[in-house]
Amino acid sequence: MSAAGVTINDVARAAGVSKGLVSLALNGRRGVAEDTRERILTAARDLGWTPNPGARGLSTRRAYALGLILRRAARTIEVDPFFAAFIAGVETVLSERGQVLVLTVVPDRAAEERAYERLAADKRVDGFLLTDLLADDARIGLIQRLGSQAVSLGAPADGSPFPVISRDYDSGIDDLVAHLVELGHRRIAHVSGDERMLHGLRRRERFERATERAGIEPVILHTDFSPEQGAEATKALLDSAAPPTAIVYGNDPMAIAGMGVAHERGLRLPDDLSVTGLDGSQIGTYIYPSLTTLDNDPAGWGVAAATALLRLVEDGVAADVALHPARLVVRASTAPPTAR
């Protein structure tokens, strides 16, 4: 019951359906026509009805919450727009169903493991959203041992019993490298992210294959995905004996930091240096010059992951989801190179 005293019976009367159908719709279960579900959700919103998660949990042994545990330095989360948009997508799904997200940020692996164990033991969440998959990711086995459920962003290296939400970046990276080559770039560097994470490793490997096919020897600098290290890598590249004419960064925040370094050096972008990102944050459209990148739709990741995990929790089964491939978005930060 909400603070206003509205009950599920009131929602049923307003929508012109049975109480049981309201329960199915509000819990996101199958067996409700989409137009009927929308009518019920609209009636609930109009009446200001909100569920009582505690009472629902007592009757169904559900927490009506999903867990997201992030093992990253606080500074990388603070400046990476992916997570804010991803969480917004998750909340879009959960708020419609009167459920919540339990977010925990941890500094290291030991704290991460304790967080999973604590949330599962206390039955505070019904399942977990797994991001930043590692090459040797112990979380899959841990969640299995804890008897919980999960959905992962990306496919684990050793497979997984849990549903996978994936997006193909290979074709986008191929198109990005081809775009730079067609512009005339032959000295192309890649500022790679943390390669303990599978997406950082796979992006770098695909970049190397694409440049090798073009007959170009790539220059690779490794970072932790933070803007600070992106800026330092840019300085090292610009100070090298043969500076690149184009730099592909492992994420957009590093690319923006690199552009700041180039501006401080007095370089004209994109004439003196072309710059690209790889994950399509909206902020890239508002900087100068606007950032060439791959579209990524973090909110779409969140919607797909939350929807799949709720289906797994409620029905016991959920299919893998392949999002549309990341496509090249050409903006103003890339151009033919000019002689310095």
Side-chain angles (χ1 to χ4, degrees):
M1 181 180 294
S2 72
V6 178
T7 69
I8 193 172
N9 291 321
D10 298 320
V11 176
R13 281 193 295 271
V17 298
S18 68
K19 177 181 174 181
L21 203 58
V22 171
S23 178
L24 288 174
L26 294 177
N27 287 317
R29 294 185 177 276
R30 298 176 182 176
V32 184
E34 283 306 312
D35 58 340
T36 303
R37 187 188 304 276
E38 186 56 37
R39 189 166 77 250
I40 293 169
L41 294 175
T42 300
R45 286 194 297 268
D46 291 345
L47 291 171
W49 178 86
T50 56
N52 183 325
R56 293 165 72 194
L58 288 173
S59 62
T60 64
R61 297 189 180 184
R62 286 272 309 279
Y64 293 96
L66 303 182
L68 174 61
I69 299 173
L70 299 178
R71 183 182 11 138
R72 279 205 183 199
R75 72 181 189 280
T76 62
I77 297 174
E78 178 184 356
V79 298
D80 192 340
F82 175 89
F83 289 107
F86 172 74
I87 291 171
V90 171
E91 289 287 3
T92 298
V93 176
L94 296 185
S95 62
E96 285 281 347
R97 305 186 184 187
Q99 304 195 34
V100 297
L101 177 68
V102 178
L103 173 65
T104 304
V105 179
V106 296
D108 53 47
R109 181 169 179 172
E112 180 183 50
E113 185 170 325
R114 290 194 300 270
Y116 279 104
E117 292 172 344
R118 183 177 64 254
L119 290 177
D122 295 345
K123 301 190 184 303
R124 291 179 57 194
V125 300
D126 298 314
F128 296 96
L129 301 162
L130 298 182
T131 67
D132 294 339
L133 289 180
L134 305 178
D136 181 19
D137 206 312
R139 293 176 296 173
I140 303 296
L142 173 62
I143 292 171
Q144 282 186 286
R145 292 194 300 274
L146 294 172
S148 190
Q149 304 280 19
V151 164
S152 67
L153 273 61
D158 297 326
S160 172
F162 303 124
V164 170
I165 313 299
S166 62
R167 187 187 303 281
D168 174 29
Y169 287 88
D170 289 353
S171 59
I173 293 173
D174 290 348
D175 290 343
L176 174 58
V177 171
H179 166 67
L180 294 173
V181 171
E182 288 169 4
L183 290 173
H185 292 279
R186 293 296 179 269
R187 297 197 305 277
I188 305 174
H190 178 46
V191 177
S192 171
D194 188 342
E195 293 195 8
R196 294 174 300 177
M197 300 178 188
L198 282 178
H199 68 283
L201 174 63
R202 289 168 175 167
R203 291 179 187 185
R204 189 265 298 167
E205 290 177 339
R206 189 68 185 193
F207 172 83
E208 287 183 327
R209 284 196 288 271
T211 52
E212 287 169 2
R213 284 197 300 270
I216 295 172
E217 182 69 28
V219 176
I220 309 293
L221 270 71
H222 303 280
T223 73
D224 64 356
F225 277 124
S226 71
E228 294 91 343
Q229 290 200 13
E232 291 303 313
T234 306
K235 293 174 185 177
L237 288 169
L238 296 180
D239 290 338
S240 64
T245 61
I247 304 177
V248 176
Y249 292 84
N251 65 12
D252 286 13
M254 288 200 299
I256 293 170
M259 292 171 73
V261 170
H263 284 309
E264 289 178 353
R265 298 285 184 97
L267 298 182
R268 297 169 302 151
L269 304 182
D271 295 330
D272 295 331
L273 179 68
S274 286
V275 171
T276 84
L278 279 180
D279 58 7
S281 61
Q282 284 298 311
I283 194 66
T285 62
Y286 302 112
I287 61 174
Y288 179 79
S290 57
L291 183 63
T292 294
T293 187
L294 303 184
D295 70 343
N296 194 27
D297 186 18
W301 278 100
V303 169
T307 301
L309 184 50
L310 288 178
R311 184 164 294 136
L312 178 63
V313 169
E314 293 163 359
D315 299 340
V317 62
D320 293 345
V321 178
L323 303 174
H324 67 79
R327 63 181 179 84
L328 174 63
V329 179
V330 177
R331 298 193 182 113
S333 66
T334 50
T338 58
R340 296 184 198 166

